[in-house]
Amino acid sequence: MSRKSQDKRRQKRKAKKKKIRVAETAAARSEKLDNLIWEMEEALYDEQFERALPLVKKALRLAPNHWGMLNNLGYIGEKLGRPDLELEAFDSLYAQGKLDDNQLMYYCDLLFRARRHSDVMAVAEDALSGISRRRTKGARDKKRFFESFRSVAGTALEAAAVIEKTPAAPQRRRKAATARKEHKPSSTPNEAAPPSKAPAADRLPDIPVRIHIDTEPFIQAWQRGIIVTPEEYELALDAYHIRLNETFDQLVCLGSLKDIHSLWYQEETARKVLKRFRGRALLADEVGLGKTIEALIVFSEYYRRGMVKNGLILTPTPLVSQWRDELKSKFDLEIPCTDDSDYRRKGDHFWQAPFVLASINQAKTRKNFKVVTEREYDIVIVDEAHHLKNRNTLNWKLVNALKKKYLLMLTATPVENNLMELYNLITLLKPGQLKTASAFKQEFMTRGDPTDPQNREKLKDLLNAVMIRNTRALASINIPPRFAQTIRVQSTNAEQELYQRITDLVRRLNADGASHHKLLLKNLLAEAGSSPQSVSLSLNRMLAKRDMPADREKDVQAINNLCRSMDFTQKNRMLLKLIKSNPGKIIIFVKYLGTLDSLVQFLDWERIPHALFHGGMQNAEKDQQIARFREDVDVLLTTEIGGEGRNLQFCHQMVNYDLPWNPMKIEQRIGRIHRFGQEKEVMIFNLCNGGSIEEYILDILDKKINMFEMVIGEIDMILGRMRGEQDFSDRVYDIWVNAETEADRAAAFNHLGSHLKRSKTSYQKTKNLDDALFGENYEL
């Protein structure tokens, strides 16, 4: 091999090594930046701005032009009262040309307060030039604003120039500086300094200063003004505030959020929907990233700005109460919904409310379809939008028939079996975006494989105009794993007798035709798995109504007497062992107030210090109890509300003392501590009595589908494939009440578990398909 060839190969090897080193350095730099962002967001979530500041500074050293970090620097500066930090952030953003007119206004104000008058002039000129080139709403007011700042800054610069104009001034400064350099202190402290020998010609002349205030413009403005009330003045300020934020760069609703810290990608998603998609979008984030929060930020933003006066939110039936709670607790919005006790009594008037939260199954019924579709809506939100995949279904036809200005559709699985499902969803959002159905098939679908698109780049460009799909990798959500342990408690003979007698009573009442009291009977069975005290409270209410036959009333009284004869149960004793064998913070969840009261007595008896939390408390008392749990005691006893919205991630252990029959309710409990900000592995202890309904439920959820190892939100997707038939808890109730023998019951629960397992397999296939189709191509 020639020397020239050897040199060439050596150079190639060196270039390759250099390329690898550069790539490794870039990867390390990116990983370090991601870690800093994660730590910084955690600090901001806890409002620890002093801790967040050095993290932002380090991140900006790695990525000086990082838009998000510069915005966070300005935000921290505002919170800490540090205009210097705000100026540092705005200087960089201005240099990159990333400030809109509203931000330029604030930047001018910062510069003026920092006496950087020449910079104020430059920024004002730049803003005025931009405004003159484009027509924007409120341009006249913005123009006046920048012109006034330019005028004031110019006046300040002229005043400074007048002082500097004196011819002797430069000479005086030079002479003064020379005198300071040449002056030497006396060798003797008491020795007087020699008298000045400066000639009279060099002495500083007296400079006359006159200040003149031109009051005429002020008087004229005052005389032309209109005297208004304080309320009108505040209203005008609010209007001006909204006009300043008309570009959606600043989200005005964020300040009104309660008990929630929206994540950066959720806010950016909302901005993109508002600014680029004009309020019509398919939100297709991966499971567990908070599509609901993104949609509600968009909805709240429009609502706060007065841009929507009415709206309709459609969800699957089991999710109605979850949406209602999110709207109330986090966005302070109370909207009538189909889960309200007076829904049926209101009839058609229910659907005439300005805003309505409804089960899509209720909205599409023959009775309601026309009422729902005949009015106009400013905004419509559809959760679990994959239920609209078939344009021949009533779901699709309902949403298509709605008269709506803005439309948000939420789903983690836009495509389940066929690309035509995607076409049907996008057609609801933006008819014609993907042309006609036949043209879409011809241009984008591969013959023989309905899930493999052709012309991918063109399809991506079309979808990018209406769809966002954020991934867990983008969101940098790295939550430690969770582990669950099911503890079966061997009941005493008396406890087994009580459970069997309650089961027999419910069966007899059901057979008597009391099926219309199904909710009451379900609660009675669930309370039997919780505590005798909670059962007793329900039986007392039944006896007080006096609407049962005498023989049934006698049965109820006998069971109630048995409940009252019981003190602490075997489950109580198992709970005590758990608390003592697992040191550290631990949360005990219960569903019923009767159970809560009995556990308070038990823990007091065992001298276990604990905090108490339930929905009947005032907010101040709730805060006090959460603070006590954080600082003083290791046990928190709580009902389902479980510190909703409060930061409980300092705890990583929890006990399900009783078990909700709805798996999503179990997930909500776990989500109180297994969430963003948790630093330790989460341990879940599930207590159940042997032979109870709860034992069967746990067997299905744990063994059949490994629910406790799933990502938050995945159980919803699995149960969603079973909806349309019967609610999960109703199926459990029917199995328990109607099974003739123990073998029949076991077979029925085994069948339910198999159904769940098939649903999980179906969901996993869909998830893999959507990952392959969309990947990271539709992130922010």
Side-chain angles (χ1 to χ4, degrees):
M1 184 182 294
S2 67
R3 184 181 182 87
K4 189 174 181 181
S5 298
Q6 289 178 344
D7 290 341
K8 195 171 182 180
R9 291 187 65 181
R10 193 179 300 113
Q11 287 174 358
K12 282 186 177 180
R13 284 196 298 270
K14 285 178 69 176
K16 189 175 181 180
K17 286 180 180 179
K18 184 178 179 181
K19 189 175 181 180
I20 292 172
R21 282 198 307 272
V22 169
E24 289 174 346
T25 303
R29 194 182 189 92
S30 177
E31 183 178 358
K32 186 175 181 181
L33 182 61
D34 288 342
N35 291 334
L36 285 170
I37 292 173
W38 191 90
E39 290 181 46
M40 181 273 302
E41 288 180 343
E42 180 180 325
L44 289 181
Y45 180 85
D46 294 329
E47 296 188 348
Q48 297 177 358
F49 303 110
E50 294 285 2
R51 180 163 74 92
L53 179 57
L55 297 171
V56 172
K57 292 275 192 180
K58 288 179 183 177
L60 285 172
R61 281 197 289 272
L62 291 172
N65 296 328
H66 194 290
W67 182 83
M69 288 301 100
L70 289 170
N71 272 293
N72 284 324
L73 179 63
Y75 174 71
I76 292 169
E78 180 187 357
K79 290 296 181 182
L80 294 178
R82 293 274 305 275
D84 59 312
L85 295 177
E86 291 183 89
L87 269 174
E88 182 181 344
F90 274 79
D91 284 342
S92 295
L93 289 168
Y94 178 69
Q96 297 175 47
K98 292 186 177 180
L99 295 180
D100 61 26
D101 293 341
N102 302 320
Q103 292 170 318
L104 286 172
M105 290 178 178
Y106 188 68
Y107 185 34
C108 277
D109 185 59
L110 283 173
L111 291 170
F112 188 81
R113 281 185 277 153
R115 300 178 183 273
R116 290 168 51 181
H117 300 120
S118 57
D119 290 337
V120 174
M121 294 277 288
V123 172
E125 288 285 357
D126 187 18
L128 287 167
S129 174
I131 291 171
S132 64
R133 286 197 303 269
R134 62 185 187 276
R135 291 184 176 182
T136 58
K137 192 176 179 181
R140 184 181 300 173
D141 291 336
K142 292 175 183 177
K143 189 175 179 181
R144 276 203 296 263
F145 178 94
F146 288 114
E147 284 175 345
S148 64
F149 255 102
R150 181 178 62 181
S151 175
V152 173
T155 302
L157 287 172
E158 288 172 6
V162 168
I163 296 173
E164 294 290 322
K165 255 185 179 180
T166 306
Q171 184 181 357
R172 286 201 307 274
R173 283 197 295 273
R174 285 195 298 272
K175 284 180 179 275
T178 305
R180 283 194 296 272
K181 287 179 183 177
E182 293 178 353
H183 175 69
K184 295 179 181 178
S186 305
S187 55
T188 306
N190 294 327
E191 183 179 346
S196 174
K197 296 182 180 179
D202 290 337
R203 290 179 187 170
L204 295 176
D206 292 332
I207 302 174
V209 176
R210 291 186 303 168
I211 299 175
H212 173 71
I213 300 176
D214 187 0
T215 59
E216 188 62 27
F218 173 76
I219 293 172
Q220 289 178 359
W222 176 263
Q223 290 174 341
R224 287 197 306 268
I226 301 172
I227 305 301
V228 297
T229 64
E231 292 78 13
E232 290 171 322
Y233 174 72
E234 291 294 332
L235 187 62
L237 285 181
D238 289 342
Y240 187 66
H241 176 70
I242 291 171
R243 290 175 70 182
L244 285 180
N245 289 283
E246 64 189 5
T247 62
F248 296 113
D249 290 312
Q250 300 294 325
L251 299 176
V252 299
C253 73
L254 296 182
S256 63
L257 301 187
K258 298 194 309 182
D259 299 329
I260 184 175
H261 179 81
S262 54
L263 302 175
W264 70 269
Y265 67 88
Q266 293 171 335
E267 294 178 15
E268 287 305 308
T269 295
R271 286 192 184 93
K272 188 172 184 179
V273 171
L274 292 161
K275 293 171 65 176
R276 182 177 165 191
F277 292 174
R278 307 295 189 203
R280 299 180 75 93
L282 178 64
L283 302 180
D285 292 1
E286 287 185 328
V287 169
L289 294 188
K291 292 183 290 296
T292 305
I293 299 300
E294 293 169 356
L296 287 178
I297 289 176
V298 174
F299 170 70
S300 185
E301 192 69 17
Y302 279 138
Y303 178 74
R304 301 290 174 191
R305 293 167 183 263
M307 297 175 69
V308 297
K309 305 294 185 183
N310 55 68
L312 174 66
I313 301 175
L314 296 171
T315 82
T317 302
L319 296 182
V320 171
S321 59
Q322 183 176 322
W323 272 80
R324 178 191 59 199
D325 295 343
E326 293 274 328
L327 283 161
K328 173 60 180 169
S329 63
K330 296 179 173 62
F331 294 84
D332 198 24
L333 296 170
E334 288 196 68
I335 295 178
C337 70
T338 50
D339 273 9
D340 292 343
S341 57
D342 60 351
Y343 156 64
R344 296 190 184 280
R345 181 176 58 80
K346 288 181 177 179
D348 288 351
H349 292 293
F350 169 84
W351 302 98
Q352 302 306 320
F355 294 97
V356 174
L357 167 60
S359 154
I360 194 168
N361 287 335
Q362 289 286 353
K364 72 183 181 183
T365 60
R366 183 177 298 178
K367 176 186 174 185
N368 295 326
F369 191 99
K370 184 179 178 182
V371 180
V372 174
T373 56
E374 68 183 3
R375 62 177 292 195
E376 295 184 2
Y377 301 94
D378 289 335
I379 187 168
V380 171
I381 300 175
V382 184
D383 196 9
E384 304 291 350
H386 46 272
H387 294 302
L388 312 178
K389 62 185 180 183
N390 187 340
R391 66 188 304 149
N392 295 318
T393 61
L394 271 176
N395 284 346
W396 192 93
K397 291 176 180 176
L398 172 74
V399 176
N400 187 53
L402 293 173
K403 305 176 187 73
K404 63 269 183 191
K405 181 178 180 182
Y406 305 122
L407 174 62
L408 300 176
M409 300 198 301
L410 288 59
T411 176
T413 53
V415 177
E416 295 186 319
N417 306 293
N418 192 310
L419 283 173
M420 283 306 298
E421 297 166 356
L422 180 65
Y423 174 84
N424 292 335
L425 291 179
I426 301 304
T427 299
L428 286 172
L429 275 173
K430 198 172 181 181
Q433 177 70 8
L434 299 180
K435 301 181 181 179
T436 63
S438 57
F440 177 80
K441 288 178 182 178
Q442 184 176 357
E443 186 168 5
F444 297 112
M445 291 181 64
T446 302
R447 185 170 296 178
D449 188 350
T451 63
D452 182 25
Q454 56 185 358
N455 296 327
R456 283 178 177 260
E457 285 303 312
K458 185 174 181 181
L459 180 61
K460 177 187 170 185
D461 290 340
L462 292 171
L463 292 178
N464 268 331
V466 288
M467 186 175 101
I468 300 175
R469 181 178 174 83
N470 294 314
T471 64
R472 301 183 75 81
L474 170 85
S476 299
I477 293 181
N478 298 308
I479 303 175
R482 64 190 191 193
F483 301 96
Q485 181 180 347
T486 296
I487 301 171
R488 290 168 176 81
V489 179
Q490 187 58 46
S491 306
T492 64
N493 291 336
E495 290 169 1
Q496 291 177 17
E497 180 188 354
L498 175 63
Y499 199 87
Q500 186 59 49
R501 290 181 71 172
I502 293 170
T503 296
D504 292 341
L505 174 66
V506 169
R507 282 177 173 167
R508 287 196 297 271
L509 290 172
N510 192 67
D512 288 346
S515 56
H516 59 284
H517 293 305
K518 188 173 184 178
L519 181 60
L520 170 66
L521 299 180
K522 278 171 62 178
N523 273 335
L524 200 57
L525 278 174
E527 286 167 343
S530 184
S531 73
Q533 290 79 5
S534 61
V535 173
S536 182
L537 289 175
S538 288
L539 294 179
N540 285 334
R541 287 192 291 270
M542 291 172 66
L543 290 168
K545 290 182 178 179
R546 297 186 176 277
D547 59 352
M548 290 180 291
D551 56 336
R552 295 287 179 258
E553 186 172 334
K554 186 178 178 180
D555 291 340
V556 170
Q557 188 63 63
I559 295 172
N560 198 21
N561 291 337
L562 184 57
C563 289
R564 291 175 177 178
S565 69
M566 291 187 176
D567 199 356
F568 301 143
T569 63
Q570 289 297 98
K571 203 153 62 160
N572 291 142
R573 294 177 175 84
M574 181 58 72
L575 176 65
L576 184 62
K577 288 182 182 179
L578 272 176
I579 293 172
K580 291 184 175 180
S581 60
N582 293 277
K585 305 288 182 186
I586 190 165
I587 300 176
I588 303 166
F589 280 100
V590 300
K591 183 174 182 180
Y592 299 102
L593 287 175
T595 305
L596 188 74
D597 293 339
S598 70
L599 284 180
V600 168
Q601 295 175 25
F602 175 71
L603 294 177
D604 286 342
W605 176 264
E606 296 292 341
R607 296 181 180 178
I608 303 291
H610 60 278
L612 183 65
F613 191 105
H614 60 81
M617 292 177 168
Q618 298 295 323
N619 284 334
E621 192 177 2
K622 290 177 181 177
D623 293 339
Q624 184 182 15
Q625 289 297 312
I626 294 295
R628 184 166 185 256
F629 177 47
R630 182 186 291 109
E631 298 163 10
D632 300 326
V633 301
D634 284 340
V635 177
L636 174 66
L637 185 57
T638 177
T639 53
E640 298 281 15
I641 194 170
E644 171 65 36
R646 286 167 170 82
N647 183 2
L648 297 176
Q649 291 91 307
F650 56 86
C651 172
H652 69 282
Q653 300 179 111
M654 61 170 282
V655 176
N656 284 314
Y657 183 85
D658 52 20
L659 197 77
W661 292 4
N662 184 341
M664 288 189 289
K665 292 288 185 184
I666 302 173
E667 187 67 74
Q668 286 171 17
R669 285 182 176 184
I670 298 169
R672 301 292 189 265
I673 59 175
H674 190 235
R675 61 195 300 178
F676 185 77
Q678 179 60 259
E679 297 178 350
K680 298 180 180 178
E681 293 177 346
V682 169
M683 194 66 212
I684 305 155
F685 300 100
N686 298 310
L687 294 181
C688 68
N689 292 317
S692 65
I693 294 176
E694 290 75 23
E695 182 181 27
Y696 281 99
I697 292 174
L698 282 169
D699 187 66
I700 290 173
L701 298 180
D702 196 7
K703 291 183 179 179
K704 291 282 187 182
I705 62 172
N706 304 111
M707 169 186 157
F708 297 100
E709 298 175 17
M710 291 179 188
V711 171
I712 289 176
E714 287 191 313
I715 187 64
D716 298 12
M717 304 300 297
I718 293 169
L719 291 175
R721 282 161 167 71
M722 300 177 66
R723 294 174 193 145
E725 301 175 24
Q726 197 177 21
D727 183 74
F728 186 85
S729 62
D730 286 338
R731 296 190 68 169
V732 168
Y733 171 81
D734 288 346
I735 289 171
W736 195 260
V737 170
N738 297 321
E740 295 291 336
T741 65
E742 188 67 31
D744 291 341
R745 182 181 296 159
F749 273 111
N750 187 58
H751 177 72
L752 177 59
S754 298
H755 195 168
L756 265 179
K757 194 170 183 179
R758 288 194 299 274
S759 296
K760 181 182 178 182
T761 302
S762 172
Y763 160 69
Q764 194 61 51
K765 287 180 179 177
T766 299
K767 180 178 180 295
N768 293 338
L769 172 61
D770 284 312
D771 287 345
L773 282 175
F774 305 113
E776 299 177 357
N777 291 324
Y778 301 90
E779 294 176 338
L780 288 172

